[in-house]
Amino acid sequence: MTHLDIQHRLRENADPEKAEHAQRFFKTGKGEYGEGDRFLGIRVPVLRRYVREFQHLALEETAEILQSPYHEERLFALLLLVRKYQKGDRAQQEAVFRLYLKNLQQINNWDLVDSSAPSIVGAWLEERDKTLLYQLAESPNLWERRIAIISTFHLIRNNKFDDALAIARLLIADRQDLIHKAVGWMLREIGKRNIAIEKAFLDRHALTMPRTMLRYAIERFEEDERKRYLERKQ
């Protein structure tokens, strides 16, 4: 089975109407964050079914699919890499991680980042030096900055918050709404596990963080507490 065989199978599920909707949803117009991206109109559950079917595809063939101009094929390749990482030994995990870093330019929309970064980058770096995350957080590339903060979701799930909080501080002044949402989301996830730590961060930074970031962070708070934070922001 080659990458061409699998791409042929995937494209049998293409739906032009769904593709048109996806191109609007993922902001592919001129000047938008997903400018120029192309869609086939394949639903995510379909992609996941194929991931199970082709989970033993060679890593080299998976890398070829990741080069596709079509969004869903890149998503399929990333979901397959996540599965390979989770099922692999240390050598395969390292190979998946290295391949991921080599192809960051192909991971160029929020769903591609969110479905892969925690399970590959976050998982690999959990017990290793985190310098890479800080380098990505300072990248001029929107998606690399999102990878930096979203990768910390793996750490947060394991009650390791320090790097997530430090990267959140680095990104507080970011100008991109998709970063505001990602940081707020990670702060909210910290709060699910330790509300005192989240509130301590918000008490220090709520006045300077973008409103969208704050709204995402306090989404689960009681209404009166949400109002208190938002009024302080005003």
Side-chain angles (χ1 to χ4, degrees):
M1 182 70 71
T2 70
H3 68 279
L4 294 175
D5 296 324
I6 291 177
Q7 286 174 295
H8 177 73
R9 289 281 302 278
L10 291 174
R11 293 177 192 186
E12 291 176 348
N13 298 273
D15 184 323
E17 186 175 337
K18 288 185 174 66
E20 184 178 352
H21 171 77
Q23 286 183 205
R24 292 194 302 271
F25 181 76
F26 286 101
K27 308 294 184 185
T28 61
K30 186 173 178 58
E32 296 182 309
Y33 62 73
E35 180 177 353
D37 206 353
R38 298 165 65 185
F39 286 79
L40 292 164
I42 306 173
R43 296 174 62 246
V44 173
V46 174
L47 297 177
R48 292 191 182 278
R49 188 175 72 238
Y50 280 116
V51 166
R52 292 191 295 272
E53 182 176 349
F54 299 119
Q55 61 184 297
H56 300 300
L57 182 70
L59 199 58
E60 296 78 8
E61 297 291 339
T62 307
E64 289 293 333
I65 299 175
L66 190 53
Q67 309 311 310
S68 173
Y70 291 106
H71 186 104
E72 294 96 335
E73 290 184 347
R74 298 198 305 282
L75 177 57
F76 167 80
L78 290 167
L79 293 173
L80 191 53
L81 288 176
V82 168
R83 190 172 186 89
K84 287 179 176 299
Y85 186 96
Q86 293 172 339
K87 300 292 185 180
D89 58 16
R90 186 189 179 283
Q92 174 150 304
Q93 290 175 343
E94 182 171 8
V96 169
F97 173 73
R98 300 298 176 195
L99 190 154
Y100 192 91
L101 292 188
K102 187 177 179 180
N103 289 277
L104 291 180
Q105 72 279 2
Q106 300 302 108
I107 307 166
N108 57 356
N109 216 310
W110 58 264
D111 63 321
L112 304 181
V113 172
D114 297 1
S115 63
S116 61
S119 299
I120 297 175
V121 180
W124 179 257
L125 295 179
E126 181 178 3
E127 302 300 334
R128 297 176 175 86
D129 182 80
K130 310 295 192 300
T131 299
L132 173 64
L133 294 182
Y134 294 85
Q135 292 171 340
L136 292 172
E138 295 178 342
S139 169
N141 183 283
L142 162 63
W143 307 117
E144 292 184 5
R145 299 198 305 279
R146 187 164 175 115
I147 287 171
I149 186 63
I150 295 297
S151 292
T152 68
F153 198 3
H154 178 86
L155 309 178
I156 292 168
R157 285 171 174 150
N158 290 298
N159 296 309
K160 299 176 181 179
F161 307 134
D162 290 350
D163 291 293
L165 294 169
I167 291 171
R169 284 192 290 271
L170 287 177
L171 295 174
I172 276 180
D174 201 281
R175 301 176 68 178
Q176 290 286 345
D177 185 65
L178 284 170
I179 299 299
H180 303 169
K181 292 175 179 178
V183 173
W185 173 21
M186 292 303 101
L187 292 173
R188 186 172 73 242
E189 292 297 331
I190 291 172
K192 289 179 183 179
R193 295 157 177 85
N194 192 317
I195 191 63
I197 289 178
E198 182 191 6
K199 287 182 178 179
F201 184 94
L202 293 177
D203 289 341
R204 175 168 292 189
H205 298 289
L207 290 177
T208 56
M209 68 172 52
R211 193 171 183 84
T212 296
M213 188 183 295
L214 178 59
R215 282 189 175 277
Y216 269 63
I218 63 176
E219 189 175 89
R220 292 170 58 89
F221 286 13
E222 296 294 334
E223 184 176 358
D224 59 342
E225 195 161 28
R226 289 201 309 272
K227 287 182 178 179
R228 179 171 65 83
Y229 276 105
L230 291 171
E231 286 170 359
R232 286 176 59 192
K233 177 67 177 172
Q234 291 174 340

